Amino acid sequence: MKGKKKLEIDVLNNVPNRVIKCLDQGFVSFVDTMPRLVPEEQKTSDFAIVQAARVSYGNGTKTVNEDRGLLRYLMRHTHTTPFEMVEFKFHMKMPIFVARQIVRHRMASLNEVSGRYSVLKEEFYIPEMENVKKQSVLNKQGGDETLESKEAEIYLNKLKDFSDSSYDFYKENLVKEVSREQARMVLPVNLYTEWYWKIDLKNLLHFLCLRCDAHAQYETRVFADAILELITPIVPLTIEAWNDYQEYRGAIKLTRLEIDALKEAFKGEVKVPHINSDNKREKQEWKEKAAKLGLVVE
Amino acid sequence: MKGKKKLEIDVLNNVPNRVIKCLDQGFVSFVDTMPRLVPEEQKTSDFAIVQAARVSYGNGTKTVNEDRGLLRYLMRHTHTTPFEMVEFKFHMKMPIFVARQIVRHRMASLNEVSGRYSVLKEEFYIPEMENVKKQSVLNKQGGDETLESKEAEIYLNKLKDFSDSSYDFYKENLVKEVSREQARMVLPVNLYTEWYWKIDLKNLLHFLCLRCDAHAQYETRVFADAILELITPIVPLTIEAWNDYQEYRGAIKLTRLEIDALKEAFKGEVKVPHINSDNKREKQEWKEKAAKLGLVVE
Amino acid sequence: MKGKKKLEIDVLNNVPNRVIKCLDQGFVSFVDTMPRLVPEEQKTSDFAIVQAARVSYGNGTKTVNEDRGLLRYLMRHTHTTPFEMVEFKFHMKMPIFVARQIVRHRMASLNEVSGRYSVLKEEFYIPEMENVKKQSVLNKQGGDETLESKEAEIYLNKLKDFSDSSYDFYKENLVKEVSREQARMVLPVNLYTEWYWKIDLKNLLHFLCLRCDAHAQYETRVFADAILELITPIVPLTIEAWNDYQEYRGAIKLTRLEIDALKEAFKGEVKVPHINSDNKREKQEWKEKAAKLGLVVE
Amino acid sequence: MKGKKKLEIDVLNNVPNRVIKCLDQGFVSFVDTMPRLVPEEQKTSDFAIVQAARVSYGNGTKTVNEDRGLLRYLMRHTHTTPFEMVEFKFHMKMPIFVARQIVRHRMASLNEVSGRYSVLKEEFYIPEMENVKKQSVLNKQGGDETLESKEAEIYLNKLKDFSDSSYDFYKENLVKEVSREQARMVLPVNLYTEWYWKIDLKNLLHFLCLRCDAHAQYETRVFADAILELITPIVPLTIEAWNDYQEYRGAIKLTRLEIDALKEAFKGEVKVPHINSDNKREKQEWKEKAAKLGLVVE
Ligand SMILES: Cc1cc2nc3c(=O)[nH]c(=O)nc-3n(C[C@H](O)[C@H](O)[C@H](O)COP(=O)(O)OP(=O)(O)OC[C@H]3O[C@@H](n4cnc5c(N)ncnc54)[C@H](O)[C@@H]3O)c2cc1C
Ligand SMILES: Cc1cc2nc3c(=O)[nH]c(=O)nc-3n(C[C@H](O)[C@H](O)[C@H](O)COP(=O)(O)OP(=O)(O)OC[C@H]3O[C@@H](n4cnc5c(N)ncnc54)[C@H](O)[C@@H]3O)c2cc1C
Ligand SMILES: Cc1cc2nc3c(=O)[nH]c(=O)nc-3n(C[C@H](O)[C@H](O)[C@H](O)COP(=O)(O)OP(=O)(O)OC[C@H]3O[C@@H](n4cnc5c(N)ncnc54)[C@H](O)[C@@H]3O)c2cc1C
Ligand SMILES: Cc1cc2nc3c(=O)[nH]c(=O)nc-3n(C[C@H](O)[C@H](O)[C@H](O)COP(=O)(O)OP(=O)(O)OC[C@H]3O[C@@H](n4cnc5c(N)ncnc54)[C@H](O)[C@@H]3O)c2cc1C
């Protein structure tokens, strides 16, 4: 099971900066990872995925290039369990409304600061002016457009004042000996909270698919992007494969209806037909996908 | 696998009232359960636990009394997987700070109202005066003592005003077309949210252990208690066994140190010695446990 | 939360035959599902998915047609949590080597017959002659070709004898009072085992993607196919959407490399170029995918 | 978030021997753990539990002694999430019937050798003579008594022959080009299999409770004991607390019925009464528990 001791390096040293500031007062700090010590030859933690996968085939280590091939194969064919073999732990500080979204990813372990056991700090998220978004009318989620700067300024000033006054009220309650757990009821969801968060690579990639995506809320995306940046030098081959083969990244899923439309087009017609659906949204999605393929839906 | 069709009843009819109001504006509504149709003879869903457990022994149905015996055996010996065979689904409305505690129970499925897709309703939790708790000095959590009524009144009035003004600010932001997802940042955690919540009996009992317990926050306990009330007529034998054999309920766990102290006492000495520990808290815990056994620690 | 009582039907009555025989002695029996009672108007359990999803948008029931639209939207955009709201329970009997594959799906609950507590039955899986597969040379898994019938006959006869003799040895051990748990060590993995198996629709669809697929072992596929057949009348709209939008079903995933190749082709060239990769397998995969789109890779 | 770089040691060096042989041909090999590099001052991974727990209280590092106090508090009060922060990875080889028990612990990640992709090795578990157990008559599980040595010898010789002949049959099938996945159907469950297995400390302790226990099958216990031995020098304070406070270890759970019986006894009566139950088994359990407390139930 073990040959002679190979030289190992601390893979966290691959990461130039282990703490990334997020929003105005938040951060993601890279606390730990498994494997931590990786063979000098492989340099990254991609090897640990391949190591576990190889047990299936009953054979041992191979060249770095063959490792890359296998890893890409696993990603392409969604053989996901070997990606569970790599683990990450972060210390994070984010607004409550962001934490409320991240906590929904159940395949993670976390410990959060308690508003029952300790006095919460006066730290509120106040967006930068260029990040105050205007409500989209088309799209149910917050749009990409920015609020007009004057309006944004008014909003931000009021937000600051409001946050301050909520904290004043909180402190006042504490002074009056209202129990901490009830005193904190007045704190708005832009208050910062913090936690330790541990997750394996398989489930983290799933998280990043959903939360680095344009449909995710901007503020949550900032944290997801920071995490992606932190882990890329740890598992570079995995991230490369993920970008090549994963739907929310570089890949595209063609539905049965879209395949039918495409086939029709390939039968020699110049024009790409619309899909056989009367659903407006679905038709629009096809247009956008076709554009990514360099096609124009008539 | 199937004999002749037995008569079945809708087990939800065992529940006199499927909706329990919680706090001032919240509720737990019992949406569904599996099994839903139970044999008329058994009347409750306890049978489904026993049915799955019996597959282990390679034999079929027994009398109701033998069922009870097996069920109690399973509970006593923490054979937990058969309890996963019963499922519950609730519709709940609770303050955000309560939801934040419940969501930590990852072995549940949920769908929550979204502050990104819809406009949140003006519903804030305002405690009743007798439930405004005073911060305990001994205990890190909120104590059992109630805040003096004048203080409480001031707090509650201000809480109402503050909640109103936060909602006004929210509405104003919406009017100014700040995106919904950002506009809601100002809403405090006493705002009500709602969700569908599905969980199996095994994990629900674990939840109830932790959240019906005195260490849980009062407001969360109200919801846990409501759920316990709702499910008791569905699985009465299970709840009976759980109350008899489960630590947070009727049972007590004696630590190795406490067993040693007890043994010492039984050697004929009248007095019950303290445990062999210099940890104040642990010694105090022993005193309390001993009292439950009818003993006095010297 | 409740209007006047709507008429409800037992959704299990949608299933013409609740037990499907699998292989020579196995079966899948549909024990229960949640919801069990569904509104007469909706007729199927698809409504329960939509019901939970709608809580996100803060609004109530809609027409059956709008339900279908939302459900298809959820499937297309992998909003998976509402699909967790539907639950299934099966009683299954399958060979140990099949059980060993199914048990790997951790997001399920199960209770299995125990070789420690009970005497295992003399039931071994003997394939039908046309299902004895020849080892593929290209493919690591068992190929699609059938073993020549004479060879197959010899194999099957010996398999029967061998299975018999293993059971004789087992019985002999029991007679000699070797503990049951050790006596059973001699039983080969074509012995049948049985269990109760409970899983939600989200995780079941994931299971069916992987196990109804051509890459799954034939014997396991038989069980997956039976389950798919059983649940289709319970959630027909979901299955329709799944077949239209899901990768392992009617949809296709185009990788970044394939998209690039396709774009190149659409620039007016007649020929479809190979992808920019020197990986033989990946190139082959592209050929096959292109064929499904009605294209020929040069 | 970071002070000046502290000295760190490789915590795996705490483990004198990273590979423990189990049964005749199996093993547990300690592949990796997180944290891997621990502060020289703390020396063990216990600190990582405390580090995560402390975030709840909003404060930083403490003395080693205070760490121990907190850790013991967490264990005593089943605050389990901080124990999820420590992770272990093992390479294991064990008989299929043992693997079938371990795989039931779903909160672990694993990759197993595949009988579809590779040719399985000729490695069968043959117990040592003193470990051939006699079936207990009282107890449904295998008893503690050993089979008479002559009987055992016959059994073992036949087991060896039978295992050999099953492997001969397997090889013959492969030669005849029966697909690997079907050829392996004849292999009995005493064949060895291997896998990589990753699990966090919280779930591993749960596993160890159940599988180091006397009720677990001997062969599985051997693996659980090996794992316990391997991790003890990594998290010694946790294991100490676990032995002191955990039910399956040094602690005892008194049921409501037993508490009542005990209280009765303490009212001055000399004799300890039986519990108020007509369940034979439960009464027997009380006798055994009482004995552990130094009491005799009349
Ligand atoms: C009185 C009280 C005080 C608390 N104080 C705090 C606090 O200050 N800070 C804080 O952060 N939390 C606190 N909590 C929350 C607590 O840490 C748990 O998150 C919560 O009780 C859910 O418990 P659970 O993990 O056992 O349940 P579930 O999440 O439902 O899990 C049940 C079991 O499933 C397994 N499991 C599920 N998901 C995973 C996974 N992703 N990885 C590994 N195993 C998994 C585990 O075996 C787990 O025990 C407190 C809880 C209580 C009751
Ligand atoms: C853009 C966007 C919008 C969203 N809008 C809403 C909304 O309006 N309302 C809302 O409620 N949520 C919303 N969500 C949250 C979403 O429903 C999921 O809760 C979240 O994305 C986590 O995904 P997950 O369940 O796949 O991940 P995880 O919880 O990490 O689970 C990963 C996988 O593990 C399995 N799993 C884990 N735990 C369980 C369990 N207890 N039971 C069964 N299987 C389990 C499942 O297979 C699951 O796919 C939104 C998410 C995104 C990205
Ligand atoms: C002595 C002994 C005898 C046994 N006999 C039998 C037998 O005869 N038949 C038999 O079938 N099994 C038997 N088992 C296996 C037993 O039923 C459990 O499957 C096994 O012990 C794993 O326990 P677990 O579910 O607590 O662990 P895990 O699967 O690791 O789960 C840990 C916790 O996570 C949560 N969890 C994880 N996954 C899920 C999920 N998908 N859904 C809901 N919650 C989840 C639960 O809260 C669970 O308690 C036996 C076990 C022992 C120790
Ligand atoms: C064709 C084929 C070939 C295979 N070959 C092999 C092989 O050679 N060797 C082998 O070992 N296996 C093999 N498998 C099994 C495979 O690795 C998976 O174990 C199996 O498909 C179950 O998939 P899953 O993990 O996605 O499902 P589930 O276990 O049901 O999990 C669903 C999701 O829940 C989450 N989840 C659940 N439990 C955990 C947990 N404890 N930790 C983290 N996340 C969790 C994950 O997000 C996961 O994707 C093969 C499977 C197929 C279909």
Side-chain angles (χ1 to χ4, degrees):
Chain A
M1 280 143 275
K2 263 271 139 95
K4 57 171 166 292
K5 184 85 181 159
K6 297 223 191 86
L7 273 177
E8 290 175 323
I9 58 165
D10 180 350
V11 75
L12 261 193
N13 288 337
N14 293 3
V15 183
N17 197 342
R18 293 190 203 172
V19 186
I20 295 184
K21 299 204 59 178
C22 296
L23 305 179
D24 55 344
Q25 305 189 61
F27 62 81
V28 179
S29 165
F30 200 153
V31 176
D32 210 347
T33 185
M34 180 172 92
R36 180 70 183 267
L37 300 178
V38 304
E40 209 191 17
E41 205 190 347
Q42 272 98 349
K43 291 191 188 63
T44 72
S45 299
D46 294 306
F47 93 95
I49 298 155
V50 166
Q51 176 190 50
R54 285 249 161 75
V55 86
S56 299
Y57 310 104
N59 52 31
T61 46
K62 292 283 169 72
T63 68
V64 172
N65 196 43
E66 282 170 304
D67 278 8
R68 180 171 174 271
L70 175 53
L71 201 145
R72 291 176 71 79
Y73 173 83
L74 296 171
M75 182 67 77
R76 222 155 58 237
H77 293 269
T78 51
H79 288 313
T80 57
T81 51
F83 296 97
E84 294 177 18
M85 290 291 158
V86 174
E87 198 80 25
F88 300 102
K89 186 159 62 177
F90 305 103
H91 181 190
M92 298 166 70
K93 182 186 283 189
M94 68 256 114
I96 289 176
F97 69 88
V98 171
R100 293 239 296 141
Q101 294 179 357
I102 300 181
V103 81
R104 296 294 302 279
H105 295 261
R106 295 159 293 184
M107 282 296 127
S109 298
L110 71 91
N111 286 95
E112 187 177 355
V113 62
S114 166
R116 302 181 69 205
Y117 303 137
S118 53
V119 175
L120 299 168
K121 290 184 213 147
E122 184 170 4
E123 293 172 325
F124 293 94
Y125 165 54
I126 310 293
E128 294 181 321
M129 200 180 292
E130 62 271 28
N131 288 323
V132 180
K133 299 288 193 310
K134 201 171 159 174
Q135 179 60 38
S136 161
V137 274
L138 293 169
N139 178 319
K140 293 220 164 190
Q141 297 142 1
D144 310 312
E145 252 183 277
T146 295
L147 205 68
E148 201 244 314
S149 67
K150 209 146 150 203
E151 293 290 3
E153 208 184 326
I154 299 174
Y155 166 67
L156 291 173
N157 283 333
K158 227 178 144 176
L159 181 59
K160 262 174 254 168
D161 288 350
F162 182 81
S163 302
D164 286 353
S165 69
S166 75
Y167 199 80
D168 287 345
F169 185 18
Y170 174 57
K171 273 191 303 186
E172 190 187 310
N173 293 339
L174 293 181
V175 169
K176 289 191 173 160
E177 299 193 319
V178 176
S179 65
R180 273 191 291 272
E181 66 186 26
Q182 289 183 318
R184 52 98 180 245
M185 283 200 309
V186 304
L187 294 168
V189 293
N190 68 332
L191 187 83
Y192 274 94
T193 183
E194 52 181 297
W195 66 31
Y196 273 73
W197 194 62
K198 187 179 77 81
I199 190 165
D200 67 52
L201 177 56
K202 190 271 159 182
N203 285 291
L204 183 55
L205 290 178
H206 177 62
F207 169 85
L208 293 175
C209 278
L210 297 177
R211 303 297 181 177
C212 292
D213 186 75
H215 292 91
Q217 179 159 2
Y218 163 72
E219 282 83 3
T220 303
R221 230 183 306 142
V222 167
F223 287 86
D225 288 342
I227 289 173
L228 178 54
E229 187 182 329
L230 287 170
I231 70 161
T232 299
I234 303 289
V235 281
L237 296 180
T238 301
I239 299 301
E240 181 200 32
W242 181 64
N243 281 326
D244 283 347
Y245 301 140
Q246 183 62 41
E247 201 194 333
Y248 289 73
R249 310 298 297 177
I252 282 179
K253 187 173 73 183
L254 294 180
T255 68
R256 187 187 58 71
L257 289 71
E258 292 163 349
I259 294 169
D260 286 350
L262 218 45
K263 267 190 200 158
E264 208 54 39
F266 293 150
K267 279 202 193 131
E269 332 293 316
V270 189
K271 306 282 184 65
V272 179
H274 232 301
I275 53 169
N276 182 14
S277 163
D278 51 8
N279 186 299
K280 243 200 256 176
R281 197 157 195 165
E282 197 174 355
K283 282 155 95 172
Q284 179 56 28
E285 288 171 19
W286 170 226
K287 266 196 178 166
E288 288 163 19
K289 253 189 238 178
K292 285 191 194 163
L293 297 175
L295 295 172
V296 179
V297 176
E298 60 193 32
Chain B
M1 280 144 281
K2 265 268 133 102
K4 59 171 166 288
K5 185 84 182 159
K6 297 223 190 87
L7 273 178
E8 290 174 323
I9 59 163
D10 180 351
V11 77
L12 262 193
N13 289 336
N14 293 3
V15 184
N17 196 342
R18 294 190 201 172
V19 186
I20 296 183
K21 296 203 65 179
C22 296
L23 305 179
D24 54 345
Q25 305 189 60
F27 61 81
V28 179
S29 164
F30 200 152
V31 176
D32 210 348
T33 184
M34 181 173 92
R36 179 72 184 266
L37 300 178
V38 305
E40 207 190 20
E41 205 189 346
Q42 272 97 349
K43 289 191 189 66
T44 72
S45 298
D46 294 306
F47 92 95
I49 298 155
V50 166
Q51 176 190 51
R54 285 248 163 75
V55 85
S56 298
Y57 309 104
N59 52 31
T61 47
K62 294 280 169 76
T63 68
V64 172
N65 196 43
E66 282 169 303
D67 278 6
R68 180 171 173 272
L70 175 53
L71 202 145
R72 290 175 72 79
Y73 173 83
L74 296 171
M75 181 68 75
R76 222 156 58 241
H77 292 270
T78 51
H79 289 313
T80 57
T81 51
F83 295 97
E84 294 177 20
M85 290 291 157
V86 173
E87 199 79 28
F88 300 102
K89 186 160 61 179
F90 304 103
H91 180 191
M92 299 166 70
K93 183 187 283 189
M94 67 254 116
I96 288 176
F97 71 88
V98 171
R100 294 238 297 140
Q101 294 180 358
I102 300 181
V103 81
R104 296 294 303 280
H105 295 261
R106 295 158 293 183
M107 282 296 127
S109 298
L110 72 89
N111 286 96
E112 187 177 357
V113 63
S114 165
R116 303 180 69 205
Y117 303 138
S118 53
V119 175
L120 300 168
K121 291 186 211 146
E122 184 169 4
E123 293 172 325
F124 294 93
Y125 165 55
I126 310 293
E128 294 180 320
M129 200 179 293
E130 63 271 27
N131 288 323
V132 180
K133 299 287 193 312
K134 201 172 160 173
Q135 180 59 39
S136 160
V137 274
L138 293 170
N139 177 319
K140 294 220 162 189
Q141 297 144 1
D144 309 312
E145 251 182 278
T146 294
L147 204 69
E148 198 243 315
S149 67
K150 210 145 149 203
E151 293 290 4
E153 208 184 327
I154 299 174
Y155 166 67
L156 291 174
N157 283 333
K158 225 178 145 177
L159 181 59
K160 261 175 255 167
D161 288 349
F162 182 81
S163 302
D164 287 351
S165 69
S166 76
Y167 200 80
D168 288 343
F169 186 16
Y170 174 56
K171 272 191 306 187
E172 190 187 310
N173 292 340
L174 292 181
V175 169
K176 288 192 173 160
E177 299 193 318
V178 175
S179 64
R180 272 191 292 270
E181 65 187 26
Q182 288 184 317
R184 53 97 181 249
M185 285 200 307
V186 304
L187 295 167
V189 294
N190 68 333
L191 186 83
Y192 274 94
T193 183
E194 52 181 297
W195 66 30
Y196 273 74
W197 194 62
K198 186 180 76 83
I199 191 165
D200 66 53
L201 177 56
K202 190 270 158 183
N203 285 291
L204 183 55
L205 291 177
H206 177 62
F207 168 85
L208 294 174
C209 278
L210 298 178
R211 304 295 183 179
C212 292
D213 187 74
H215 291 93
Q217 179 158 1
Y218 162 72
E219 282 84 2
T220 304
R221 229 183 307 141
V222 167
F223 287 85
D225 288 342
I227 290 172
L228 178 54
E229 186 182 330
L230 287 171
I231 70 160
T232 299
I234 303 288
V235 282
L237 297 180
T238 301
I239 298 301
E240 181 201 31
W242 180 65
N243 281 326
D244 283 346
Y245 301 141
Q246 183 62 42
E247 201 194 332
Y248 289 73
R249 311 297 297 177
I252 282 180
K253 187 173 72 183
L254 295 180
T255 69
R256 187 187 57 73
L257 289 71
E258 292 163 349
I259 296 169
D260 286 350
L262 218 47
K263 269 191 202 156
E264 208 54 38
F266 294 150
K267 280 202 192 128
E269 332 294 319
V270 188
K271 304 280 183 66
V272 178
H274 234 301
I275 53 169
N276 182 14
S277 163
D278 51 8
N279 185 300
K280 241 198 259 178
R281 196 158 197 164
E282 197 174 356
K283 282 154 96 172
Q284 179 57 27
E285 288 170 18
W286 169 226
K287 266 196 177 164
E288 290 164 16
K289 254 188 239 177
K292 286 192 193 161
L293 297 174
L295 295 172
V296 179
V297 177
E298 62 194 27
Chain C
M1 281 143 279
K2 265 266 138 93
K4 57 171 166 295
K5 185 83 181 161
K6 295 223 190 88
L7 273 178
E8 289 174 323
I9 58 164
D10 179 350
V11 76
L12 261 194
N13 288 336
N14 293 2
V15 183
N17 197 341
R18 294 189 202 173
V19 186
I20 296 184
K21 298 203 62 180
C22 296
L23 305 179
D24 55 344
Q25 304 189 61
F27 62 80
V28 179
S29 165
F30 200 153
V31 176
D32 210 348
T33 185
M34 180 172 93
R36 180 71 183 267
L37 300 178
V38 304
E40 209 191 18
E41 206 190 345
Q42 272 97 349
K43 292 190 189 64
T44 73
S45 299
D46 295 305
F47 93 95
I49 298 154
V50 166
Q51 176 189 51
R54 285 250 162 74
V55 85
S56 298
Y57 310 104
N59 52 32
T61 46
K62 292 283 169 74
T63 68
V64 171
N65 196 43
E66 283 170 304
D67 279 7
R68 181 171 173 271
L70 175 53
L71 201 143
R72 290 176 71 80
Y73 173 84
L74 295 171
M75 182 67 76
R76 223 156 56 239
H77 293 270
T78 52
H79 289 312
T80 57
T81 51
F83 296 97
E84 293 177 19
M85 290 290 158
V86 173
E87 200 80 25
F88 299 102
K89 187 159 60 177
F90 304 102
H91 181 190
M92 298 165 71
K93 181 186 284 189
M94 68 255 114
I96 289 177
F97 69 88
V98 171
R100 293 238 295 141
Q101 294 180 358
I102 300 181
V103 80
R104 296 293 303 279
H105 295 262
R106 296 159 293 184
M107 282 296 127
S109 298
L110 71 91
N111 286 95
E112 187 177 355
V113 62
S114 166
R116 303 180 68 206
Y117 303 137
S118 53
V119 175
L120 299 168
K121 291 185 212 143
E122 184 170 4
E123 293 172 325
F124 293 93
Y125 165 55
I126 310 293
E128 294 182 321
M129 199 180 293
E130 62 271 28
N131 289 323
V132 180
K133 299 289 191 319
K134 200 172 160 173
Q135 180 59 38
S136 161
V137 274
L138 294 170
N139 177 319
K140 293 218 163 191
Q141 297 144 1
D144 308 313
E145 252 181 276
T146 295
L147 206 68
E148 201 243 314
S149 67
K150 211 152 154 196
E151 293 290 3
E153 208 183 327
I154 299 174
Y155 165 68
L156 291 173
N157 283 332
K158 226 177 145 178
L159 181 60
K160 260 174 254 168
D161 287 350
F162 182 82
S163 302
D164 286 352
S165 70
S166 74
Y167 200 80
D168 287 344
F169 186 16
Y170 173 58
K171 273 191 305 187
E172 191 186 311
N173 293 338
L174 293 181
V175 168
K176 289 190 173 161
E177 298 194 321
V178 175
S179 65
R180 272 190 293 270
E181 65 186 26
Q182 289 184 317
R184 52 98 181 247
M185 283 200 309
V186 305
L187 294 168
V189 294
N190 68 332
L191 186 83
Y192 275 93
T193 182
E194 51 181 297
W195 66 31
Y196 273 73
W197 194 61
K198 186 179 77 81
I199 190 165
D200 66 52
L201 177 55
K202 190 271 159 182
N203 285 290
L204 183 55
L205 290 178
H206 177 62
F207 169 84
L208 293 175
C209 277
L210 297 177
R211 303 297 181 177
C212 292
D213 187 75
H215 292 92
Q217 180 160 1
Y218 162 72
E219 283 83 2
T220 303
R221 227 181 310 141
V222 167
F223 287 86
D225 288 342
I227 290 173
L228 178 54
E229 186 181 329
L230 287 170
I231 70 161
T232 299
I234 303 289
V235 281
L237 297 180
T238 300
I239 298 301
E240 180 200 33
W242 180 65
N243 281 326
D244 284 346
Y245 301 139
Q246 183 61 40
E247 200 193 334
Y248 289 72
R249 310 299 296 178
I252 283 178
K253 187 173 72 182
L254 295 179
T255 68
R256 187 187 57 71
L257 289 71
E258 292 163 349
I259 295 169
D260 286 349
L262 218 46
K263 267 192 201 157
E264 208 54 39
F266 293 151
K267 278 202 192 132
E269 330 294 315
V270 188
K271 306 281 183 64
V272 179
H274 233 300
I275 53 169
N276 182 16
S277 163
D278 51 8
N279 186 299
K280 240 198 259 176
R281 197 158 195 165
E282 197 175 356
K283 281 154 96 173
Q284 179 57 28
E285 288 171 19
W286 169 225
K287 265 196 179 166
E288 289 163 18
K289 253 189 239 178
K292 285 193 194 161
L293 297 175
L295 295 173
V296 179
V297 176
E298 60 194 30
Chain D
M1 278 145 281
K2 265 269 137 97
K4 59 171 164 293
K5 184 84 181 160
K6 297 222 190 88
L7 273 178
E8 291 175 322
I9 59 164
D10 180 351
V11 76
L12 262 193
N13 289 336
N14 293 3
V15 183
N17 197 341
R18 295 189 201 173
V19 185
I20 295 183
K21 296 203 64 180
C22 296
L23 307 178
D24 54 345
Q25 306 189 60
F27 61 80
V28 179
S29 164
F30 200 153
V31 176
D32 210 348
T33 185
M34 180 172 92
R36 179 72 184 265
L37 300 178
V38 305
E40 208 190 19
E41 205 190 346
Q42 272 98 348
K43 289 191 191 65
T44 72
S45 298
D46 294 306
F47 93 95
I49 298 154
V50 166
Q51 175 190 50
R54 285 248 163 75
V55 85
S56 298
Y57 310 104
N59 53 31
T61 47
K62 294 279 169 75
T63 69
V64 173
N65 196 43
E66 282 170 303
D67 278 6
R68 180 171 174 272
L70 175 53
L71 202 145
R72 290 175 72 79
Y73 173 82
L74 295 171
M75 182 68 76
R76 222 156 58 241
H77 293 270
T78 51
H79 290 311
T80 57
T81 52
F83 296 98
E84 294 178 19
M85 290 290 157
V86 174
E87 199 79 27
F88 300 101
K89 187 160 61 179
F90 305 103
H91 181 190
M92 299 167 70
K93 182 186 283 189
M94 68 256 115
I96 288 177
F97 70 88
V98 172
R100 294 238 296 140
Q101 294 180 357
I102 301 181
V103 80
R104 296 294 303 280
H105 295 261
R106 295 159 293 183
M107 282 295 127
S109 298
L110 71 89
N111 286 96
E112 187 177 356
V113 62
S114 165
R116 303 180 69 206
Y117 303 137
S118 53
V119 175
L120 299 168
K121 290 186 213 144
E122 184 169 6
E123 293 172 325
F124 293 93
Y125 166 56
I126 310 293
E128 294 180 321
M129 199 179 293
E130 62 271 29
N131 288 323
V132 180
K133 299 287 191 318
K134 201 173 159 173
Q135 180 59 39
S136 160
V137 274
L138 293 169
N139 177 318
K140 293 222 163 189
Q141 298 143 4
D144 309 313
E145 251 183 279
T146 294
L147 205 69
E148 198 243 316
S149 67
K150 207 142 149 210
E151 292 290 3
E153 207 183 328
I154 299 173
Y155 166 67
L156 290 173
N157 283 333
K158 227 180 144 175
L159 181 59
K160 261 174 256 168
D161 289 349
F162 182 81
S163 302
D164 287 352
S165 70
S166 75
Y167 200 80
D168 287 344
F169 186 17
Y170 173 57
K171 272 192 304 188
E172 190 186 311
N173 293 339
L174 293 182
V175 168
K176 288 191 174 160
E177 299 194 318
V178 175
S179 64
R180 272 191 292 270
E181 66 186 25
Q182 288 183 318
R184 53 99 181 247
M185 284 199 309
V186 304
L187 296 168
V189 295
N190 67 334
L191 186 83
Y192 274 93
T193 183
E194 52 181 297
W195 66 30
Y196 273 73
W197 194 61
K198 188 180 75 82
I199 190 164
D200 66 54
L201 177 56
K202 190 270 158 183
N203 285 291
L204 183 55
L205 291 177
H206 177 61
F207 169 85
L208 294 173
C209 278
L210 297 177
R211 303 296 182 178
C212 292
D213 187 74
H215 291 92
Q217 179 159 2
Y218 162 72
E219 284 83 2
T220 303
R221 230 183 306 142
V222 168
F223 287 86
D225 288 342
I227 289 173
L228 178 54
E229 187 182 329
L230 287 171
I231 71 161
T232 299
I234 303 288
V235 282
L237 297 180
T238 301
I239 298 302
E240 182 200 32
W242 181 64
N243 282 326
D244 283 347
Y245 301 140
Q246 183 61 41
E247 200 193 332
Y248 289 73
R249 311 298 297 178
I252 282 180
K253 187 174 72 184
L254 295 180
T255 69
R256 186 187 58 72
L257 289 71
E258 292 164 349
I259 295 169
D260 287 349
L262 217 46
K263 269 191 201 158
E264 209 54 39
F266 293 151
K267 280 202 193 128
E269 332 293 319
V270 187
K271 305 280 183 65
V272 178
H274 233 300
I275 53 169
N276 182 14
S277 163
D278 52 7
N279 186 300
K280 243 198 258 176
R281 196 159 198 163
E282 196 174 356
K283 281 154 96 171
Q284 180 56 29
E285 287 170 19
W286 169 227
K287 266 197 178 165
E288 290 164 17
K289 254 189 240 180
K292 286 192 193 162
L293 297 174
L295 296 171
V296 179
V297 177
E298 62 192 29

